[in-house]
Amino acid sequence: MILSLFDQFMSPWHMGVPLLAISLVLPWVLFPTPTLRWLNNRMLTFQSWFIARFTHQTFLPLNIDGHKWALLLASLMVFLITLNMLGLLPYTFTPTTQLSLNLGLAVPLWLATVVIGMRNQPTAALGHLLPEGTPTPLIPVLIIIETISLFIRPVALGVRLTANLTAGHLLIQLVSSAVFVLLPMMPTVAMLTAILLLMLTLLEVAVAMIQAYVFVLLLSLYLQENV
């Protein structure tokens, strides 16, 4: 029995064992593996085309040093899309609605971009904290503001992904509950609400893909500043 709207976002447990790890590992089983055949099936062809197009568009502004991140960011993109899409199925759990998981992905990757910038080009990396032509009295204030904005980046990455997916799931649950309540009393209104639910579900499918893309795109922009 659901006691609260937010109970659906609680990490599932079974016999004292957290199932979050299983929900993170299971999507990798669904991905088709490449074969040695000359001609692949449609699924493999689409997967290869999608990864190639995404990698090309994401790493086009980056220099050759940033291309070393292609495998990591492409894998992260496919992984986030899969988790977000599977979370839209009934009676499933969406791991990316957990802020701890999203921060666990955002903080290390953001920190890696900062460390790379500090190691390869420390002058340029520190130069981002102070815009050119700043008046002398504003220099200490701007350095503090830019430093705070730098450390807020991983928090914004995690909170954005969590908030968008959580809001979508709540809307779907509220509208679907309204359909079941209205069905015996006002069937016509219930059918119109069901159409709204279908449109909202299609919107959430788009949001699930867009938010995964935005997460990886912002990481690539942070990387672009430091390579």
Side-chain angles (χ1 to χ4, degrees), residues 38-114:
W38 286 7
L39 294 177
N40 293 322
N41 55 28
R42 291 184 179 91
M43 192 64 183
L44 271 174
T45 304
F46 173 76
Q47 177 180 282
S48 303
W49 172 84
F50 173 77
I51 293 177
R53 293 300 303 171
F54 165 76
T55 307
H56 175 74
Q57 294 295 331
T58 304
F59 291 90
L60 189 61
L62 298 178
N63 57 22
I64 194 65
D65 292 332
H67 293 178
K68 300 175 183 178
W69 287 60
L71 178 61
L72 175 61
L73 294 186
S75 302
L76 180 62
M77 172 73 174
V78 175
F79 183 59
L80 289 178
I81 287 181
T82 306
L83 289 180
N84 296 345
M85 297 290 287
L86 290 178
L88 294 174
L89 297 176
Y91 303 105
T92 56
F93 171 70
T94 312
T96 45
T97 56
Q98 305 293 311
L99 183 60
S100 57
L101 173 65
N102 296 333
L103 289 179
L105 294 174
V107 173
L109 294 174
W110 164 82
L111 186 60
T113 62
V114 174

Side-chain angles (χ1 to χ4, degrees), residues 200-219:
L200 181 61
T201 304
L202 295 178
L203 176 63
E204 285 306 309
V205 171
V207 169
M209 294 186 289
I210 291 172
Q211 288 303 316
Y213 175 72
V214 169
F215 189 92
V216 178
L217 178 63
L218 290 176
L219 282 175

Side-chain angles (χ1 to χ4, degrees), residues 5-207:
L5 290 175
F6 293 94
D7 284 350
Q8 60 176 317
F9 303 114
M10 295 177 61
S11 180
W13 291 69
H14 181 67
M15 299 180 64
V17 178
L19 302 181
L20 180 60
I22 298 178
S23 63
L24 291 177
V25 175
L26 184 60
W28 294 107
V29 182
L30 304 177
F31 299 146
T33 56
T35 63
L36 298 178
R37 299 176 180 176
W38 286 7
L39 294 177
N40 293 322
N41 55 28
R42 291 184 179 91
M43 192 64 183
L44 271 174
T45 304
F46 173 76
Q47 177 180 282
S48 303
W49 172 84
F50 173 77
I51 293 177
R53 293 300 303 171
F54 165 76
T55 307
H56 175 74
Q57 294 295 331
T58 304
F59 291 90
L60 189 61
L62 298 178
N63 57 22
I64 194 65
D65 292 332
H67 293 178
K68 300 175 183 178
W69 287 60
L71 178 61
L72 175 61
L73 294 186
S75 302
L76 180 62
M77 172 73 174
V78 175
F79 183 59
L80 289 178
I81 287 181
T82 306
L83 289 180
N84 296 345
M85 297 290 287
L86 290 178
L88 294 174
L89 297 176
Y91 303 105
T92 56
F93 171 70
T94 312
T96 45
T97 56
Q98 305 293 311
L99 183 60
S100 57
L101 173 65
N102 296 333
L103 289 179
L105 294 174
V107 173
L109 294 174
W110 164 82
L111 186 60
T113 62
V114 174
V115 170
I116 288 175
M118 291 295 183
R119 186 188 65 179
N120 295 340
Q121 44 182 8
T123 304
L126 294 176
H128 292 302
L129 301 178
L130 185 62
E132 187 177 357
T134 304
T136 304
L138 295 179
I139 289 178
V141 179
L142 280 180
I143 290 178
I144 295 175
I145 293 175
E146 291 296 330
T147 304
I148 294 174
S149 66
L150 178 65
F151 283 96
I152 284 179
R153 284 179 175 182
V155 180
L157 278 177
V159 171
R160 180 186 297 108
L161 183 58
T162 303
N164 282 282
L165 295 180
T166 302
H169 284 66
L170 287 177
L171 282 175
I172 290 177
Q173 181 175 354
L174 289 173
V175 176
S176 60
S177 301
V179 171
F180 281 106
V181 172
L182 294 173
L183 190 58
M185 298 183 295
M186 293 179 288
T188 305
V189 178
M191 291 300 297
L192 294 177
T193 310
I195 296 175
L196 175 63
L197 177 61
L198 177 61
M199 297 175 61
L200 181 61
T201 304
L202 295 178
L203 176 63
E204 285 306 309
V205 171
V207 169

